[in-house]
Amino acid sequence: MDRSLKVISSLIFIHCSEEDIYLQFVLQKLSRKLLIKMEYIHMKGGDEDTSYARNSTFQRNLMSKSSSKLEEAVRKVVLLCLNQKTLISSSIGVADLGCASGPNAFILLSDIIHAINKICSSDEIELLPELRLSLNDLPGNDFNSIFASLPDFYSTIKPDNGGIGGCFVSCVAGTFYGRLFPRRSLHLVHSSTSLHWLSQVPPELQNSGEHLNKGNTYISKSSAECVREAYLRQFQKDFFSFLRCRADEMVPGGQMVLSFIGRVSPDPAAPEAAQAWEILAQALITMASRGKLEEEKIDAFNAPYYAASAAEVEAVILQEGSFAADCLQEYEVRWDQGFHDDGDQSRVLMTKGQRFGRMARAVAEPMIEWSFGFGEDDMDELFQVYDNLVDDHFAGAGAAAPYFINLHLSLTRKDN
Ligand SMILES: C[S@@+](CC[C@H](N)C(=O)[O-])C[C@H]1O[C@@H](n2cnc3c(N)ncnc32)[C@H](O)[C@@H]1O
């Protein structure tokens, strides 16, 4: 079935012009069908205790580290529109890719609106521009909770609250590794803590008929060279597609602000890139030893994830050629960062392992449920094991707490 859909969709690509709206619609439907197998990548929806909405302070902190770069990008966009005399005559197109659900998506939109207001008032621009704000994620995302929060969001940005000229929010379901928006419709693209997710598990690891990465859930010290290479190839292919699609969708001079998990070490199995997955593998192996799943399922599982190095990211940007990199920075983010300031009193007695485990569960639960068929009780047990392992890890690490590397990139769409 998958194969025939692929053939039909590539035929449509060959035989239709991009302007043919009906065929584009059919094509979108087909590519969604092809994507169904990756629908397990989404954060845990709703607003219960284990949801992403209630466990995303970590990602919120990462996002806030890019706020000065975001403000800089907004300034460039406002100046671009002023120079082209389009600031008031047409709207500014903004997209947040991989928005998930919960407060973070709206915090970002508010930050952008605030930055535009600030720049317009400091430059004495009286008529404020109109904004098209698009929130994107995969179809399995909890868009319903975003829709439900929209009225509150709109009420906070009314003109009498010092808000923008007009602001129109839409949600776009689909993969950011494909086209999502019309040509040259976006001025500013943002994505935070999302681009380390690949479009798929590298096909070499799924289709070879044997388990090439036995006992691991991601690249680890024991992974063969062919596993490391397969992951790198998948990242290169995906990031190239991401840039090529955005190049089509953005206006020349448009700005892109991206941040995602990466690494500083040349070794893809370095702790900053692989430790959290190794702990998940250990927790799954413990569950297998308790008879809760077959080990074979762990051998068959590989995370669709890649923590790239700055050099790997830069090489793809150069190869693709549509963007100039204004800034590429790496910084360390401790696993326990922000625990003390998330304002949730009910969690002050929790261990670091439990708090990190909450965040990891909100991110990984849909994927684990789909891959291992765990129900609520098994999931609770798995994450109790996981939390204890993370606590052991903190205890062993002493003052040098485990950390991720966050890569930050500011890019300008070139005039080509
Ligand atoms: C950790 S969340 C980050 C959410 C939000 N940006 C934040 O900072 O809180 C990563 C999001 O990326 C989304 N994602 C992963 N792969 C994607 C893809 N190919 N296309 C669109 N969204 C994707 C996931 O569904 C998830 O909601």
Side-chain angles (χ1 to χ4, degrees):
M1 182 67 168
D2 269 9
R3 197 159 174 275
S4 57
L5 284 174
K6 266 184 199 148
V7 172
I8 300 168
S9 59
S10 47
L11 282 176
I12 292 173
F13 258 128
I14 295 163
H15 291 294
C16 77
S17 73
E18 280 183 37
E19 281 72 25
D20 191 322
I21 289 168
Y22 175 70
L23 285 178
Q24 276 194 34
F25 172 75
V26 175
L27 187 57
Q28 262 191 357
K29 286 237 165 219
L30 288 172
S31 54
R32 282 204 186 128
K33 284 204 166 174
L34 291 171
L35 274 167
I36 273 173
K37 54 182 186 255
M38 288 306 281
E39 277 193 19
Y40 63 75
I41 299 190
H42 59 85
M43 306 298 101
K44 188 164 183 197
D47 62 356
E48 65 189 54
D49 215 28
T50 53
S51 64
Y52 186 75
R54 302 271 304 271
N55 294 281
S56 43
T57 317
F58 186 86
Q59 288 84 349
R60 184 146 68 246
N61 279 319
L62 290 190
M63 208 159 74
S64 70
K65 292 200 191 316
S66 294
S67 59
S68 64
K69 303 288 180 203
L70 184 65
E71 196 173 319
E72 220 173 288
V74 169
R75 172 171 288 282
K76 287 183 185 167
V77 165
V78 170
L79 289 179
L80 178 75
C81 295
L82 268 181
N83 287 340
Q84 293 175 340
K85 305 201 183 338
T86 56
L87 189 65
I88 303 305
S89 60
S90 60
S91 51
I92 297 182
V94 178
D96 181 33
L97 307 181
C99 62
S101 52
N104 293 8
F106 290 106
I107 290 172
L108 172 85
L109 297 187
S110 302
D111 285 352
I112 290 174
I113 292 172
H114 179 73
I116 293 182
N117 280 342
K118 190 171 146 193
I119 291 155
C120 289
S121 71
S122 71
D123 288 11
E124 295 178 2
I125 299 164
E126 277 175 18
L127 264 177
L128 293 173
E130 289 196 334
L131 296 182
R132 283 172 283 119
L133 301 174
S134 299
L135 295 173
N136 152 260
D137 208 291
L138 288 168
N141 186 51
D142 183 5
F143 284 109
N144 278 343
S145 74
I146 297 187
F147 291 132
S149 306
L150 272 176
D152 281 349
F153 172 71
Y154 280 128
S155 70
T156 63
I157 53 157
K158 281 194 180 135
D160 45 339
N161 287 341
I164 204 80
C167 168
F168 305 90
V169 180
S170 60
C171 291
V172 177
T175 176
F176 50 50
Y177 294 121
R179 280 288 301 273
L180 294 165
F181 301 97
R183 202 179 308 135
R184 296 196 172 203
S185 62
L186 297 177
H187 297 79
L188 177 65
V189 170
H190 173 271
S191 178
S192 182
T193 346
S194 302
L195 271 159
H196 41 259
W197 291 108
L198 299 173
S199 69
Q200 59 174 348
V201 175
E204 298 87 329
L205 304 188
Q206 297 190 84
N207 304 337
S208 71
E210 53 178 320
H211 302 316
L212 297 176
N213 199 21
K214 228 170 164 221
N216 299 315
T217 52
Y218 176 59
I219 304 169
S220 89
K221 295 280 179 208
S222 66
S223 298
E225 196 51 37
C226 66
V227 171
R228 294 160 185 251
E229 285 168 5
Y231 265 106
L232 174 58
R233 261 196 307 279
Q234 188 63 47
F235 168 75
Q236 290 168 328
K237 191 164 162 273
D238 283 343
F239 194 50
F240 187 97
S241 303
F242 177 87
L243 294 175
R244 187 47 60 88
C245 292
R246 301 300 81 77
D248 287 345
E249 294 165 352
M250 292 176 70
V251 298
Q255 299 294 306
M256 187 142 72
V257 178
L258 309 176
S259 67
F260 48 96
I261 304 294
R263 64 178 207 276
V264 279
S265 166
D267 178 7
E272 76 254 24
Q275 195 77 65
W277 291 106
E278 277 173 28
I279 295 178
L280 179 63
Q282 285 173 42
L284 287 166
I285 289 167
T286 304
M287 291 294 279
S289 72
R290 295 177 184 175
K292 300 292 170 113
L293 79 156
E294 300 109 56
E295 254 186 55
E296 215 253 332
K297 281 197 172 167
I298 308 171
D299 296 340
F301 176 85
N302 289 290
Y305 170 96
Y306 188 73
S309 68
E312 288 166 352
V313 168
E314 215 168 2
V316 181
I317 296 171
L318 281 175
Q319 189 202 2
E320 197 280 326
S322 309
F323 290 91
D326 306 321
C327 161
L328 203 178
Q329 286 173 336
E330 321 145 310
Y331 45 89
E332 263 182 42
V333 195
R334 288 168 55 120
W335 286 10
D336 57 352
Q337 62 108 33
F339 281 176
H340 56 283
D341 57 20
D342 70 1
D344 189 339
Q345 288 309 311
S346 66
R347 298 190 180 183
V348 285
L349 295 177
M350 285 167 73
T351 65
K352 287 184 177 179
Q354 287 166 335
R355 298 187 79 163
F356 183 81
R358 281 293 180 100
M359 184 277 281
R361 179 171 178 170
V363 170
E365 182 168 325
M367 185 171 67
I368 291 171
E369 193 181 329
W370 189 89
S371 308
F372 300 103
F374 281 176
E376 194 72 18
D377 290 348
D378 287 343
M379 199 67 76
D380 287 346
E381 188 177 338
L382 172 73
F383 277 95
Q384 272 160 20
V385 177
Y386 187 87
D387 297 351
N388 291 338
L389 289 167
V390 175
D391 274 328
D392 292 348
H393 199 63
F394 269 105
Y403 61 89
F404 291 117
I405 293 295
N406 203 38
L407 295 182
H408 170 89
L409 275 96
S410 297
L411 304 171
T412 300
R413 171 72 174 97
K414 288 186 199 163
D415 210 353
N416 57 7

PDB file of all heavy atoms in Angstrom, residues 268-293:
ATOM      1  N   PRO A 268      28.892  10.769  18.038  1.00  0.00           N
ATOM      2  CA  PRO A 268      27.434  10.846  18.224  1.00  0.00           C
ATOM      3  C   PRO A 268      26.936  10.069  19.442  1.00  0.00           C
ATOM      4  O   PRO A 268      25.784  10.250  19.861  1.00  0.00           O
ATOM      5  CB  PRO A 268      26.870  10.243  16.928  1.00  0.00           C
ATOM      6  CG  PRO A 268      27.970   9.421  16.362  1.00  0.00           C
ATOM      7  CD  PRO A 268      29.253  10.068  16.790  1.00  0.00           C
ATOM      8  N   ALA A 269      27.799   9.217  20.020  1.00  0.00           N
ATOM      9  CA  ALA A 269      27.391   8.473  21.223  1.00  0.00           C
ATOM     10  C   ALA A 269      27.848   9.181  22.498  1.00  0.00           C
ATOM     11  O   ALA A 269      27.754   8.617  23.598  1.00  0.00           O
ATOM     12  CB  ALA A 269      27.973   7.061  21.177  1.00  0.00           C
ATOM     13  N   ALA A 270      28.328  10.425  22.374  1.00  0.00           N
ATOM     14  CA  ALA A 270      28.789  11.175  23.557  1.00  0.00           C
ATOM     15  C   ALA A 270      27.614  11.339  24.522  1.00  0.00           C
ATOM     16  O   ALA A 270      26.452  11.403  24.092  1.00  0.00           O
ATOM     17  CB  ALA A 270      29.299  12.541  23.117  1.00  0.00           C
ATOM     18  N   PRO A 271      27.894  11.414  25.846  1.00  0.00           N
ATOM     19  CA  PRO A 271      26.797  11.464  26.825  1.00  0.00           C
ATOM     20  C   PRO A 271      25.794  12.580  26.564  1.00  0.00           C
ATOM     21  O   PRO A 271      24.587  12.373  26.714  1.00  0.00           O
ATOM     22  CB  PRO A 271      27.520  11.693  28.159  1.00  0.00           C
ATOM     23  CG  PRO A 271      28.922  11.289  27.927  1.00  0.00           C
ATOM     24  CD  PRO A 271      29.217  11.415  26.467  1.00  0.00           C
ATOM     25  N   GLU A 272      26.251  13.753  26.153  1.00  0.00           N
ATOM     26  CA  GLU A 272      25.294  14.864  25.975  1.00  0.00           C
ATOM     27  C   GLU A 272      24.247  14.528  24.898  1.00  0.00           C
ATOM     28  O   GLU A 272      23.171  15.117  24.867  1.00  0.00           O
ATOM     29  CB  GLU A 272      26.029  16.170  25.634  1.00  0.00           C
ATOM     30  CG  GLU A 272      26.542  16.279  24.204  1.00  0.00           C
ATOM     31  CD  GLU A 272      28.056  16.111  24.084  1.00  0.00           C
ATOM     32  OE1 GLU A 272      28.658  15.471  24.971  1.00  0.00           O
ATOM     33  OE2 GLU A 272      28.628  16.623  23.097  1.00  0.00           O
ATOM     34  N   ALA A 273      24.601  13.601  23.984  1.00  0.00           N
ATOM     35  CA  ALA A 273      23.684  13.262  22.893  1.00  0.00           C
ATOM     36  C   ALA A 273      22.887  11.993  23.191  1.00  0.00           C
ATOM     37  O   ALA A 273      21.737  11.859  22.757  1.00  0.00           O
ATOM     38  CB  ALA A 273      24.480  13.061  21.600  1.00  0.00           C
ATOM     39  N   ALA A 274      23.496  11.065  23.914  1.00  0.00           N
ATOM     40  CA  ALA A 274      22.923   9.720  23.961  1.00  0.00           C
ATOM     41  C   ALA A 274      22.486   9.239  25.345  1.00  0.00           C
ATOM     42  O   ALA A 274      21.775   8.243  25.455  1.00  0.00           O
ATOM     43  CB  ALA A 274      23.955   8.731  23.399  1.00  0.00           C
ATOM     44  N   GLN A 275      22.923   9.978  26.413  1.00  0.00           N
ATOM     45  CA  GLN A 275      22.699   9.463  27.772  1.00  0.00           C
ATOM     46  C   GLN A 275      21.220   9.201  28.103  1.00  0.00           C
ATOM     47  O   GLN A 275      20.865   8.162  28.655  1.00  0.00           O
ATOM     48  CB  GLN A 275      23.246  10.480  28.777  1.00  0.00           C
ATOM     49  CG  GLN A 275      23.395   9.936  30.164  1.00  0.00           C
ATOM     50  CD  GLN A 275      24.613   9.047  30.280  1.00  0.00           C
ATOM     51  OE1 GLN A 275      25.719   9.539  30.132  1.00  0.00           O
ATOM     52  NE2 GLN A 275      24.405   7.781  30.510  1.00  0.00           N
ATOM     53  N   ALA A 276      20.358  10.143  27.741  1.00  0.00           N
ATOM     54  CA  ALA A 276      18.932   9.999  28.106  1.00  0.00           C
ATOM     55  C   ALA A 276      18.337   8.757  27.435  1.00  0.00           C
ATOM     56  O   ALA A 276      17.501   8.064  28.010  1.00  0.00           O
ATOM     57  CB  ALA A 276      18.166  11.258  27.708  1.00  0.00           C
ATOM     58  N   TRP A 277      18.790   8.460  26.187  1.00  0.00           N
ATOM     59  CA  TRP A 277      18.292   7.266  25.485  1.00  0.00           C
ATOM     60  C   TRP A 277      18.875   5.998  26.097  1.00  0.00           C
ATOM     61  O   TRP A 277      18.209   4.965  26.140  1.00  0.00           O
ATOM     62  CB  TRP A 277      18.636   7.346  23.994  1.00  0.00           C
ATOM     63  CG  TRP A 277      17.866   8.420  23.293  1.00  0.00           C
ATOM     64  CD1 TRP A 277      18.338   9.624  22.863  1.00  0.00           C
ATOM     65  CD2 TRP A 277      16.466   8.412  22.970  1.00  0.00           C
ATOM     66  NE1 TRP A 277      17.330  10.356  22.296  1.00  0.00           N
ATOM     67  CE2 TRP A 277      16.175   9.636  22.340  1.00  0.00           C
ATOM     68  CE3 TRP A 277      15.434   7.481  23.152  1.00  0.00           C
ATOM     69  CZ2 TRP A 277      14.890   9.962  21.891  1.00  0.00           C
ATOM     70  CZ3 TRP A 277      14.160   7.802  22.707  1.00  0.00           C
ATOM     71  CH2 TRP A 277      13.899   9.032  22.082  1.00  0.00           C
ATOM     72  N   GLU A 278      20.134   6.070  26.557  1.00  0.00           N
ATOM     73  CA  GLU A 278      20.727   4.876  27.184  1.00  0.00           C
ATOM     74  C   GLU A 278      19.977   4.524  28.461  1.00  0.00           C
ATOM     75  O   GLU A 278      19.752   3.352  28.756  1.00  0.00           O
ATOM     76  CB  GLU A 278      22.216   5.100  27.462  1.00  0.00           C
ATOM     77  CG  GLU A 278      23.024   4.815  26.204  1.00  0.00           C
ATOM     78  CD  GLU A 278      24.499   5.169  26.317  1.00  0.00           C
ATOM     79  OE1 GLU A 278      25.040   5.133  27.430  1.00  0.00           O
ATOM     80  OE2 GLU A 278      25.081   5.483  25.268  1.00  0.00           O
ATOM     81  N   ILE A 279      19.580   5.553  29.197  1.00  0.00           N
ATOM     82  CA  ILE A 279      18.827   5.289  30.433  1.00  0.00           C
ATOM     83  C   ILE A 279      17.462   4.682  30.083  1.00  0.00           C
ATOM     84  O   ILE A 279      16.995   3.761  30.746  1.00  0.00           O
ATOM     85  CB  ILE A 279      18.700   6.578  31.279  1.00  0.00           C
ATOM     86  CG1 ILE A 279      20.102   7.007  31.742  1.00  0.00           C
ATOM     87  CG2 ILE A 279      17.778   6.375  32.470  1.00  0.00           C
ATOM     88  CD1 ILE A 279      20.147   8.297  32.541  1.00  0.00           C
ATOM     89  N   LEU A 280      16.852   5.170  29.006  1.00  0.00           N
ATOM     90  CA  LEU A 280      15.569   4.578  28.597  1.00  0.00           C
ATOM     91  C   LEU A 280      15.773   3.105  28.215  1.00  0.00           C
ATOM     92  O   LEU A 280      14.962   2.241  28.577  1.00  0.00           O
ATOM     93  CB  LEU A 280      14.960   5.357  27.417  1.00  0.00           C
ATOM     94  CG  LEU A 280      13.629   4.807  26.910  1.00  0.00           C
ATOM     95  CD1 LEU A 280      12.540   4.901  27.995  1.00  0.00           C
ATOM     96  CD2 LEU A 280      13.150   5.538  25.657  1.00  0.00           C
ATOM     97  N   ALA A 281      16.875   2.813  27.503  1.00  0.00           N
ATOM     98  CA  ALA A 281      17.150   1.409  27.124  1.00  0.00           C
ATOM     99  C   ALA A 281      17.292   0.550  28.378  1.00  0.00           C
ATOM    100  O   ALA A 281      16.726  -0.551  28.470  1.00  0.00           O
ATOM    101  CB  ALA A 281      18.407   1.334  26.262  1.00  0.00           C
ATOM    102  N   GLN A 282      18.021   1.070  29.392  1.00  0.00           N
ATOM    103  CA  GLN A 282      18.193   0.291  30.646  1.00  0.00           C
ATOM    104  C   GLN A 282      16.845   0.059  31.323  1.00  0.00           C
ATOM    105  O   GLN A 282      16.576  -1.034  31.829  1.00  0.00           O
ATOM    106  CB  GLN A 282      19.083   1.047  31.624  1.00  0.00           C
ATOM    107  CG  GLN A 282      20.566   1.023  31.278  1.00  0.00           C
ATOM    108  CD  GLN A 282      21.327   1.960  32.223  1.00  0.00           C
ATOM    109  OE1 GLN A 282      21.074   2.011  33.423  1.00  0.00           O
ATOM    110  NE2 GLN A 282      22.253   2.722  31.669  1.00  0.00           N
ATOM    111  N   ALA A 283      15.997   1.091  31.330  1.00  0.00           N
ATOM    112  CA  ALA A 283      14.687   0.943  31.981  1.00  0.00           C
ATOM    113  C   ALA A 283      13.838  -0.088  31.235  1.00  0.00           C
ATOM    114  O   ALA A 283      13.153  -0.915  31.860  1.00  0.00           O
ATOM    115  CB  ALA A 283      13.967   2.297  32.024  1.00  0.00           C
ATOM    116  N   LEU A 284      13.908  -0.080  29.898  1.00  0.00           N
ATOM    117  CA  LEU A 284      13.134  -1.063  29.119  1.00  0.00           C
ATOM    118  C   LEU A 284      13.659  -2.478  29.371  1.00  0.00           C
ATOM    119  O   LEU A 284      12.878  -3.434  29.488  1.00  0.00           O
ATOM    120  CB  LEU A 284      13.211  -0.719  27.625  1.00  0.00           C
ATOM    121  CG  LEU A 284      12.397   0.506  27.188  1.00  0.00           C
ATOM    122  CD1 LEU A 284      12.801   0.982  25.797  1.00  0.00           C
ATOM    123  CD2 LEU A 284      10.889   0.198  27.215  1.00  0.00           C
ATOM    124  N   ILE A 285      14.990  -2.606  29.473  1.00  0.00           N
ATOM    125  CA  ILE A 285      15.579  -3.934  29.730  1.00  0.00           C
ATOM    126  C   ILE A 285      15.117  -4.445  31.105  1.00  0.00           C
ATOM    127  O   ILE A 285      14.791  -5.620  31.274  1.00  0.00           O
ATOM    128  CB  ILE A 285      17.119  -3.878  29.584  1.00  0.00           C
ATOM    129  CG1 ILE A 285      17.467  -3.703  28.097  1.00  0.00           C
ATOM    130  CG2 ILE A 285      17.788  -5.132  30.151  1.00  0.00           C
ATOM    131  CD1 ILE A 285      18.903  -3.331  27.795  1.00  0.00           C
ATOM    132  N   THR A 286      15.035  -3.528  32.088  1.00  0.00           N
ATOM    133  CA  THR A 286      14.518  -3.931  33.418  1.00  0.00           C
ATOM    134  C   THR A 286      13.075  -4.422  33.291  1.00  0.00           C
ATOM    135  O   THR A 286      12.690  -5.435  33.871  1.00  0.00           O
ATOM    136  CB  THR A 286      14.577  -2.734  34.400  1.00  0.00           C
ATOM    137  OG1 THR A 286      15.907  -2.264  34.445  1.00  0.00           O
ATOM    138  CG2 THR A 286      14.109  -3.118  35.792  1.00  0.00           C
ATOM    139  N   MET A 287      12.282  -3.714  32.490  1.00  0.00           N
ATOM    140  CA  MET A 287      10.879  -4.134  32.301  1.00  0.00           C
ATOM    141  C   MET A 287      10.833  -5.500  31.614  1.00  0.00           C
ATOM    142  O   MET A 287       9.993  -6.343  31.957  1.00  0.00           O
ATOM    143  CB  MET A 287      10.121  -3.097  31.454  1.00  0.00           C
ATOM    144  CG  MET A 287       9.895  -1.775  32.134  1.00  0.00           C
ATOM    145  SD  MET A 287       8.801  -1.883  33.557  1.00  0.00           S
ATOM    146  CE  MET A 287       7.198  -1.881  32.762  1.00  0.00           C
ATOM    147  N   ALA A 288      11.747  -5.725  30.674  1.00  0.00           N
ATOM    148  CA  ALA A 288      11.779  -7.042  30.005  1.00  0.00           C
ATOM    149  C   ALA A 288      12.137  -8.134  31.013  1.00  0.00           C
ATOM    150  O   ALA A 288      11.545  -9.221  31.010  1.00  0.00           O
ATOM    151  CB  ALA A 288      12.778  -7.002  28.853  1.00  0.00           C
ATOM    152  N   SER A 289      13.080  -7.821  31.933  1.00  0.00           N
ATOM    153  CA  SER A 289      13.482  -8.829  32.931  1.00  0.00           C
ATOM    154  C   SER A 289      12.317  -9.131  33.887  1.00  0.00           C
ATOM    155  O   SER A 289      12.272 -10.172  34.508  1.00  0.00           O
ATOM    156  CB  SER A 289      14.723  -8.372  33.696  1.00  0.00           C
ATOM    157  OG  SER A 289      14.349  -7.327  34.577  1.00  0.00           O
ATOM    158  N   ARG A 290      11.360  -8.210  33.989  1.00  0.00           N
ATOM    159  CA  ARG A 290      10.167  -8.451  34.827  1.00  0.00           C
ATOM    160  C   ARG A 290       9.033  -9.067  34.007  1.00  0.00           C
ATOM    161  O   ARG A 290       7.891  -9.131  34.454  1.00  0.00           O
ATOM    162  CB  ARG A 290       9.676  -7.134  35.442  1.00  0.00           C
ATOM    163  CG  ARG A 290      10.669  -6.526  36.406  1.00  0.00           C
ATOM    164  CD  ARG A 290      10.134  -5.186  36.912  1.00  0.00           C
ATOM    165  NE  ARG A 290      11.111  -4.528  37.764  1.00  0.00           N
ATOM    166  CZ  ARG A 290      10.955  -3.298  38.259  1.00  0.00           C
ATOM    167  NH1 ARG A 290       9.860  -2.617  37.982  1.00  0.00           N
ATOM    168  NH2 ARG A 290      11.882  -2.768  39.033  1.00  0.00           N
ATOM    169  N   GLY A 291       9.321  -9.402  32.771  1.00  0.00           N
ATOM    170  CA  GLY A 291       8.318 -10.072  31.929  1.00  0.00           C
ATOM    171  C   GLY A 291       7.276  -9.134  31.342  1.00  0.00           C
ATOM    172  O   GLY A 291       6.227  -9.571  30.872  1.00  0.00           O
ATOM    173  N   LYS A 292       7.560  -7.814  31.335  1.00  0.00           N
ATOM    174  CA  LYS A 292       6.565  -6.849  30.844  1.00  0.00           C
ATOM    175  C   LYS A 292       6.653  -6.617  29.329  1.00  0.00           C
ATOM    176  O   LYS A 292       5.776  -5.975  28.762  1.00  0.00           O
ATOM    177  CB  LYS A 292       6.727  -5.499  31.561  1.00  0.00           C
ATOM    178  CG  LYS A 292       6.550  -5.588  33.065  1.00  0.00           C
ATOM    179  CD  LYS A 292       5.120  -5.923  33.411  1.00  0.00           C
ATOM    180  CE  LYS A 292       4.958  -6.266  34.861  1.00  0.00           C
ATOM    181  NZ  LYS A 292       4.209  -5.371  35.642  1.00  0.00           N
ATOM    182  N   LEU A 293       7.729  -7.033  28.706  1.00  0.00           N
ATOM    183  CA  LEU A 293       7.830  -6.979  27.246  1.00  0.00           C
ATOM    184  C   LEU A 293       8.936  -7.927  26.795  1.00  0.00           C
ATOM    185  O   LEU A 293       9.771  -8.344  27.621  1.00  0.00           O
ATOM    186  CB  LEU A 293       8.110  -5.559  26.736  1.00  0.00           C
ATOM    187  CG  LEU A 293       9.513  -5.005  26.816  1.00  0.00           C
ATOM    188  CD1 LEU A 293       9.696  -3.912  25.785  1.00  0.00           C
ATOM    189  CD2 LEU A 293       9.793  -4.421  28.178  1.00  0.00           C
TER     190      LEU A 293
END
